[in-house]
Each structure stands twice: as C-alpha cells, then as structure tokens.
Amino acid sequence: MEILKVNNNRISSVPSNIWNCVSLVEVVDLASNLLVDLPDTVGSLRNLEALHLSNNGLKSLPSMLFKLCTQLSTLDLHNTEITIDILSQFEGWESFDERRRLKHQNLHSQYILRLYCGAVAGLFGQTFTYRLDVVRRQMQQGYVIKQQEAQSNLVRNRQEHKSVLVKYCVAASFLVERSCKSNGHWIEDA
C-alpha cells in the first residue's frame, strides 16, 4: 500500500503537479496543516482509498473528487468547514457514500464475527478444562478416589462434555447465522 503521510507540517498549499509523482498512492494524510483548498488535480489519484484532511481551514473540495477517485471510501474532514450538505452536491457523491457505508458495514461485521468466535472459543476452553482442573486439584490435595468412582466420574464427565459441546455448537451456529442474516451476508440455498 502506497501512503503519503505529511500531517502536522504546517503546509499551506499543495502544488498541483505533486500528484503526478505519487499517482499510485492509496492513502493521503494531510491532516493538521494550514490548507485552505486542494488542487483539482487530486482527482488524478485513481487508486486513492483514504483522504485525511481533518484540522485544516478547508471550505470546499475539488468538485470532481468523488467522480474521479472511484476507489475513495474514507474521507476525514473533522474540524473543517465542509459539511455533508456541501459534499452531497458533488457529482459522484452517491457512489462514494455507498462505498463508505459498505466499508463500515464490512468492518462492523468482521468485528462482530471476531467477538462471537472469541466468546465461543473461551466457552469451549473453559468447558473442557474445568472438569480436568477439578480432578487435578483433588489429586494434588491428596484426595483418594476409589478406582470405580474415578471411572464413573470419567464416564459422567465425558457425557456432560458431549452434551455441553452440542449446546455450544448450536449456540455458536445460531449467533453466526443471526449475525450474517442481520448484516445481509446470508446466502440462501437455491
């Protein structure tokens, strides 16, 4: 990934021909500078995915930015005078907004899925190791368990583990299915 990171440099203007030198850049970070405008040639960055312009004196952007930068999905304009009303007037705004929403939806879905997987992994780990820890502690503390009791406990523990495993698998599949359906990532069988 090509990144141009020149934030916090007190830059007041960007030369219009600089984009020729960095035409493959995917992320441009010009945040916290003294910019009041951007040259129209920023639209020549066809691979641009993220543009960070926060904490500048910007009042507008090049009007063709969204139309020309078709990969752009992140635009940071915090603490500038540019509003959503201004941006929505630009040509290509609708497709940019769709890319932006899709990116955030995908990030949210990945986060939820990781959260579910972590929770299920934790439950599995605790479920399978708890009974073994109890037996180990009893053995360490010198408890004497008759051979028959130990065998019956082992059989009972295995049956309980199977029952719990089935319950956790059902719960995990329910959570993943629900997450996928709620985020529109569910594919129905034809």
Side-chain angles (χ1 to χ4, degrees):
M1 176 179 284
E2 297 290 326
I3 300 173
L4 175 63
K5 189 171 178 81
V6 288
N7 58 325
N8 293 313
N9 281 301
R10 303 183 58 81
I11 297 171
S12 59
S13 66
V14 178
S16 60
N17 61 354
I18 192 170
W19 308 119
N20 297 333
C21 302
V22 291
S23 61
L24 297 177
V25 73
E26 296 173 14
V27 177
V28 173
D29 188 352
L30 288 164
S32 301
N33 281 298
L34 304 172
L35 297 173
V36 292
D37 66 350
L38 281 179
D40 290 337
T41 54
V42 73
S44 65
L45 299 174
R46 303 288 187 222
N47 296 326
L48 185 64
E49 295 176 10
L51 182 58
H52 301 279
L53 300 169
S54 62
N55 301 313
N56 278 291
L58 294 170
K59 295 179 182 174
S60 185
L61 293 174
S63 61
M64 299 300 282
L65 178 69
F66 300 128
K67 183 177 181 182
L68 297 175
C69 297
T70 58
Q71 301 300 311
L72 187 64
S73 60
T74 301
L75 180 61
D76 183 1
L77 295 170
H78 288 89
N79 295 324
T80 66
E81 295 184 29
I82 302 173
T83 64
I84 196 94
D85 295 331
I86 294 171
L87 294 176
S88 63
Q89 303 300 317
F90 289 0
E91 190 173 349
W93 164 256
E94 293 83 12
S95 52
F96 163 75
D97 193 44
E98 185 178 325
R99 286 190 305 272
R100 180 184 64 85
R101 289 175 191 269
L102 183 61
K103 178 180 180 180
H104 289 289
Q105 182 181 10
N106 288 342
L107 289 175
H108 178 71
S109 298
Q110 290 172 2
Y111 174 75
I112 295 295
L113 186 59
R114 279 192 234 140
L115 184 64
Y116 286 152
C117 290
V120 170
L123 290 173
F124 280 134
Q126 288 180 355
T127 301
F128 292 123
T129 60
Y130 177 74
R131 294 281 185 192
L132 297 174
D133 284 343
V134 170
V135 171
R136 181 181 51 81
R137 284 189 199 121
Q138 288 176 346
M139 290 172 61
Q140 287 175 343
Q141 293 175 357
Y143 287 103
V144 178
I145 301 174
K146 294 179 188 174
Q147 186 65 24
Q148 280 185 327
E149 288 179 31
Q151 288 176 347
S152 67
N153 283 342
L154 186 59
V155 169
R156 188 176 66 240
N157 287 343
R158 284 183 183 164
Q159 290 170 346
E160 288 176 8
H161 280 2
K162 287 179 184 177
S163 171
V164 169
L165 176 62
V166 168
K167 289 177 186 175
Y168 282 137
C169 288
V170 169
S173 64
F174 172 77
L175 289 174
V176 171
E177 177 182 339
R178 184 172 177 180
S179 173
C180 291
K181 282 184 177 180
S182 68
N183 290 316
H185 297 296
W186 192 256
I187 300 173
E188 297 289 337
D189 292 333

